[in-house]
Amino acid sequence: MDIKEYIKMPNCTVPEDIQLSLKKGGSITPTDFENKNMILSDTALQAEAGYTLLPDGRYLVSMYCPMPGVTKEMVEWWFWWHPQISDRYKAWYPGEHFAVGYAKKDKEYFRQKQMPSFKSNIQYPVERIGKLALPLSIEFVSPETFGFSEKVMKENKVATIVCGHVGALNGIVQHTEMAHIFFEREDGLFMVSRFWMGERLRSPIIRKAMPNESTAKSMAEHCCVEYRNFAKRVPMLYEKNREQEDEKNG
């Protein structure tokens, strides 16, 4: 598979209605991390795009993305397949995604020939958020470990949730909680994202100093384009990979 052809593809753009929402900034519901399960059942929360400053200095970022033609299997495959080679990560969001790797302890998980069952893992993406190129660490965990209710997920047709703890300096500093919730729809999936920026910063002083409005807005814009790219590219990459695997297996 020539991944470089995908790196040359143009990025999606931020839709006009979302551009207007981002100009308003604080137009989303300030849903605390502890109340994350409300997002699974409240359709109004699922339609929010923007960011808001919370009373203790944290920022909440919200985004959504329709994903016709995308399946649960594609989502789970992508988060196992793409961290294996940086060019795959670059193809996701050309010009904004630079490199990716994973923790040594997860080597066996990522080097299996067939996608294994999910296990918690740590990835090290390097991407640009706004004007900053940021080396991140993300510890991906199961939705249940993250605090989502399996019962509420089933009741609201949640296909899967990609969630984790975001940090920097190889995970020495932990700062953000992140969740991408994929709801089942007749034509595919519908993704709802939340970033609780500063949630993992324990010092009130640092919490008020680090997240800021510019970073929150940039995160919302980045997520908007990143996952619209995802909706267009991942189905093609998934099918091409399946074809190549079928050819190998005769």
Side-chain angles (χ1 to χ4, degrees):
M1 181 188 300
D2 185 5
I3 199 72
K4 288 185 169 49
E5 65 182 272
Y6 292 88
I7 296 176
K8 295 176 184 176
M9 288 176 64
N11 291 312
C12 294
T13 56
V14 178
E16 288 186 12
D17 59 328
I18 291 181
Q19 288 184 34
L20 289 173
S21 295
L22 293 178
K23 283 182 181 179
K24 295 177 184 176
S27 59
I28 67 170
T29 306
T31 310
D32 281 331
F33 182 68
E34 290 75 14
N35 297 323
K36 67 181 82 63
N37 280 288
M38 291 175 57
I39 302 165
L40 305 184
S41 58
D42 189 330
T43 54
L45 294 180
Q46 296 162 19
E48 293 186 341
Y51 57 92
T52 192
L53 175 63
L54 300 175
D56 61 0
R58 292 171 297 145
Y59 271 88
L60 176 65
V61 175
S62 174
M63 189 50 60
Y64 62 83
C65 180
M67 294 189 167
V70 178
T71 65
K72 171 186 176 180
E73 291 74 24
M74 292 176 187
V75 173
E76 293 176 346
W77 167 80
W78 179 251
F79 280 92
W80 168 76
W81 185 77
H82 89 260
Q84 299 170 27
I85 299 174
S86 282
D87 273 356
R88 296 172 183 173
Y89 188 63
K90 293 176 186 177
W92 183 359
Y93 196 168
E96 303 296 312
H97 286 182
F98 303 119
V100 71
Y102 50 80
K104 289 182 180 179
K105 71 176 184 63
D106 297 316
K107 179 178 177 181
E108 183 179 346
Y109 174 71
F110 285 107
R111 293 202 175 179
Q112 294 189 44
K113 291 185 178 180
Q114 299 294 327
M115 185 179 74
S117 298
F118 173 81
K119 69 177 283 292
S120 297
N121 65 87
I122 299 174
Q123 299 177 21
Y124 301 114
V126 181
E127 59 186 314
R128 180 162 40 223
I129 306 294
K131 296 179 180 180
L132 298 175
L134 302 172
L136 302 173
S137 71
I138 306 176
E139 181 184 3
F140 290 93
V141 299
S142 70
E144 294 80 11
T145 301
F146 197 73
F148 284 110
S149 164
E150 187 175 0
K151 179 176 180 289
V152 180
M153 288 172 63
K154 287 181 179 178
E155 289 172 348
N156 292 279
K157 296 184 177 180
V158 175
T160 190
I161 301 178
V162 175
C163 50
H165 316 304
V166 185
L169 302 175
N170 285 328
I172 295 172
V173 176
Q174 296 284 312
H175 52 74
T176 295
E177 299 285 19
M178 172 193 79
H180 303 296
I181 306 161
F182 295 85
F183 293 89
E184 295 175 3
R185 294 289 187 265
E186 287 186 6
D187 62 347
L189 300 177
F190 183 84
M191 189 197 75
V192 173
S193 296
R194 288 293 187 281
F195 299 86
W196 288 270
M197 299 176 67
E199 180 68 32
R200 293 181 68 81
L201 293 171
R202 298 303 168 220
S203 165
I205 296 174
I206 297 176
R207 181 181 274 181
K208 288 198 172 187
M210 284 190 68
N212 57 58
E213 183 175 2
S214 176
T215 305
K217 183 179 181 183
S218 294
M219 178 65 77
E221 291 170 338
H222 183 99
C223 182
C224 180
V225 175
E226 180 179 36
Y227 279 93
R228 280 161 177 76
N229 282 355
F230 180 104
K232 288 184 176 296
R233 297 166 198 234
V234 170
M236 293 188 289
L237 286 162
Y238 179 80
E239 292 303 328
K240 282 200 172 187
N241 184 72
R242 278 212 326 182
E243 289 170 8
Q244 289 184 356
E245 290 299 318
D246 289 343
E247 288 175 7
K248 284 181 187 178
N249 297 327

